[in-house]
Amino acid sequence: MKVLRLVILSVAILANISVLNANSEKGVAKVMKVRGNVFYSQTKKPLAKGDWVPEGAKITTKARSFVKLLFIDKSNLTLGANSEVEVEQFPKKKAGIINLINGQLRSKVSKNYLEIDKKKSKLFIKTKTAAMGVRGTDFQVNFNPTNNNTTLITFEGAVAMGSLTNFKKSRFLQDRLEKVVSSPTSVMVRQGQLSGVMPKVDSKPMAPVKINKQQLKALEANDGSKTSSNDDQKKSEKKQMSRNIIPPGMDSSKFSGAGGSEIMGQMAKADASIKIPSAQAATTIASSRVQTKGTMTEGGYVDTNNVLYIPPPKNAPVDPMTNEVIVPIQMGSFDKDTGEYKNDFYVVNENGDMIPKDPVITVNRIPASDGTAPELVPTGPINIFDQDEVDEFDDPIGAPIPSDDTKPLDGGPDIMETTMDDRDQMLDQTNTTSTNRARVKVILDRQ
């Protein structure tokens, strides 16, 4: 019976390969899924499911649109919204060359399907400023033609990245691209890391950095078919933020009738029972974040629209339980469904400038000792490439006011309030509900 199943499976695979090879005369990729306004750039002809895309074709997607392609080497590529790509070359016995003209693509490249030298890249993705050599992995590339920035995020495996900023021509053969991604200035971007070529900062690829783990998960879960609504973004910009010390994901009714001081006291007792890393462990965490010259601070966010990396301050605190950098809320956050970067306090442009929004959105917090509300954002714009300006966000800000209590919290040392504030920020941004439930369980058990 097992032998019969293997025979049937082998026949099905061979049949599928035969169909792909037979249809490859019509094109090199088949449209597996399409949504919205997707068309050939040259003719404006819409793409439909089942169509074969020929070599040399350029494809454009508009807002809230995407297309998923299956190539003859069994690799797939999803072109996100507001993007354009060109299938430059896709020969059977050489690596294919895909040119991302604008926007975002996500690709999962199969291993060892075509007869290609295993020591060489089996697919090249390139933009105006960067080339990436792929041998079998899952990754995402973004390119912004306004600032010519290219970013690469690797979800699985590793991708080699080299710079094309010093080349005047835009067409390359496979051998030349292989030399670019194998040059001494190229970098290897591994799982969970980001690198990029940002010509206004450096002609070489930036040293790979690990990005925020929760944004990485959200981006990995989105193959490019999910997009954020502009209307939803505008609503979030207008909404005044408020903070709640009850961890997200928990039933607030469990705490009904309890004042802020009581909740804070119970949470302080619960935290006292949680093991904190030793001094040696804390030193290890800190040493893992020491910056090398020419690198950016790890643990930040990726702005896939402007194609930027938003680094946290150098001395941003690290949650001892998750080893995750606690990014100041002014530096932004991300959409948990799509992974897209968002910021309620600043407008971020393609040059990396963070310009305070007008009116400035503030968080509901305890007034300062002089009776005035604490400033949450600097008075002027900052630039993410200026580390000194980014480090302005390193100053601690006041403790949150609980939603069920109008009076300032009393009792407990200031360090506890600051610690709870930092934990609250972290939980709001990462939605680590398993940790929250464990902590609240301790609280409820004590009541």
Side-chain angles (χ1 to χ4, degrees):
M1 193 66 179
K2 292 183 178 179
V3 175
L4 180 59
R5 288 179 181 176
L6 288 173
V7 171
I8 293 174
L9 181 60
S10 300
V11 171
I13 294 174
L14 290 172
N16 191 28
I17 293 173
S18 298
V19 171
L20 281 173
N21 289 336
N23 284 287
S24 63
E25 297 178 0
K26 302 178 183 178
V28 295
K30 188 176 182 179
V31 178
M32 304 304 292
K33 193 174 183 180
V34 63
R35 185 182 70 194
N37 190 3
V38 182
F39 53 88
Y40 288 109
S41 307
Q42 300 99 320
T43 63
K44 308 301 179 185
K45 178 184 175 181
L47 268 72
K49 183 178 179 180
D51 286 352
W52 279 88
V53 177
E55 195 174 43
K58 291 183 180 179
I59 300 173
T60 297
T61 61
K62 292 298 186 179
R64 303 183 68 79
S65 304
F66 78 95
V67 61
K68 187 172 184 178
L69 305 176
L70 177 64
F71 284 84
I72 57 174
D73 68 344
K74 304 297 287 182
S75 299
N76 65 65
L77 181 150
T78 301
L79 187 65
N82 297 311
S83 302
E84 184 177 11
V85 73
E86 177 185 8
V87 184
E88 277 193 16
Q89 298 181 40
F90 221 93
K92 291 184 179 180
K93 295 188 177 182
K94 285 188 177 183
I97 302 177
I98 306 294
N99 179 26
L100 180 62
I101 301 171
N102 178 38
Q104 172 179 304
L105 67 79
R106 170 78 175 272
S107 183
K108 294 183 179 181
V109 178
S110 60
K111 298 180 180 179
N112 306 326
Y113 175 69
L114 297 181
E115 297 177 5
I116 298 175
D117 188 344
K118 296 180 181 179
K119 296 180 181 180
K120 295 183 178 180
S121 303
K122 70 184 303 295
L123 176 67
F124 293 104
I125 304 291
K126 72 182 188 68
T127 67
K128 184 178 178 180
T129 54
M132 285 129 287
V134 186
R135 297 181 186 177
T137 186
D138 181 4
F139 63 96
Q140 174 179 309
V141 179
N142 290 79
F143 177 68
N144 186 332
T146 303
N147 56 19
N148 288 323
N149 285 358
T150 303
T151 55
L152 163 67
I153 304 171
T154 303
F155 301 113
E156 182 181 341
V159 181
M161 185 180 203
S163 174
L164 296 177
T165 55
N166 295 326
F167 293 88
K168 293 182 179 180
K169 62 180 183 179
S170 59
R171 298 287 174 176
F172 300 87
L173 296 177
Q174 285 84 349
D175 290 344
R176 187 54 178 163
L177 289 174
E178 191 67 53
K179 290 181 180 179
V180 170
V181 300
S182 303
S183 68
T185 59
S186 66
V187 295
M188 187 64 70
V189 186
R190 305 186 185 280
Q191 184 175 2
Q193 291 184 326
L194 168 139
S195 182
V197 175
M198 303 178 185
K200 293 183 179 179
V201 179
D202 197 340
S203 61
K204 301 185 296 296
M206 61 181 280
V209 295
K210 291 183 179 179
I211 67 173
N212 178 273
K213 295 177 184 177
Q214 301 304 316
Q215 186 186 25
L216 177 69
K217 290 180 180 179
L219 289 170
E220 185 174 8
N222 181 10
D223 63 357
S225 60
K226 301 177 185 177
T227 57
S228 297
S229 168
N230 291 331
D231 293 336
D232 292 341
Q233 290 179 0
K234 290 179 181 178
K235 288 179 183 178
S236 67
E237 290 174 3
K238 294 180 180 179
K239 182 177 68 174
Q240 185 177 20
M241 298 180 65
S242 62
R243 306 296 299 281
N244 190 340
I245 64 171
I246 297 176
M250 304 310 300
D251 186 359
S252 59
S253 64
K254 299 286 187 181
F255 297 88
S256 60
S261 300
E262 184 179 352
I263 294 175
M264 180 66 78
Q266 291 291 339
M267 294 181 77
K269 292 178 182 178
D271 277 352
S273 66
I274 297 175
K275 293 183 179 180
I276 303 299
S278 63
Q280 182 179 359
T283 303
T284 302
I285 293 173
S287 63
S288 67
R289 300 179 57 227
V290 174
Q291 280 186 280
T292 305
K293 187 176 181 180
T295 64
M296 302 185 81
T297 310
E298 294 191 336
Y301 297 124
V302 184
D303 181 350
T304 54
N305 292 315
N306 288 309
V307 190
L308 298 167
Y309 175 64
I310 314 293
K314 285 187 297 185
N315 297 320
V318 176
D319 189 292
M321 297 182 66
T322 64
N323 200 22
E324 180 83 85
V325 175
I326 302 176
V327 182
I329 56 174
Q330 308 96 307
M331 298 299 293
S333 58
F334 61 92
D335 187 299
K336 292 178 175 59
D337 292 325
T338 65
E340 292 182 12
Y341 174 79
K342 60 182 182 179
N343 195 315
D344 291 310
F345 302 96
Y346 287 90
V347 174
V348 183
N349 64 25
E350 64 274 3
N351 295 320
D353 297 318
M354 298 180 69
I355 305 169
K357 291 183 178 179
D358 188 19
V360 174
I361 300 176
T362 58
V363 171
N364 186 18
R365 291 183 177 276
I366 300 173
S369 58
D370 60 359
T372 60
E375 287 211 10
L376 194 58
V377 296
T379 55
I382 72 166
N383 188 278
I384 63 170
F385 298 113
D386 189 325
Q387 190 65 54
D388 290 335
E389 292 185 356
V390 171
D391 289 344
E392 289 185 28
F393 291 120
D394 198 30
D395 294 332
I397 47 183
I401 299 177
S403 59
D404 64 341
D405 201 338
T406 57
K407 295 184 295 182
L409 302 176
D410 56 3
D414 292 341
I415 187 171
M416 178 56 69
E417 293 184 359
T418 303
T419 301
M420 295 308 301
D421 184 33
D422 289 340
R423 180 70 56 79
D424 186 41
Q425 290 183 32
M426 182 64 183
L427 295 176
D428 280 346
Q429 293 175 356
T430 63
N431 197 24
T432 314
T433 55
S434 60
T435 303
N436 302 344
R437 291 192 180 95
R439 295 174 66 236
V440 172
K441 184 177 184 301
V442 176
I443 296 172
L444 297 177
D445 289 344
R446 292 172 185 267
Q447 293 180 342

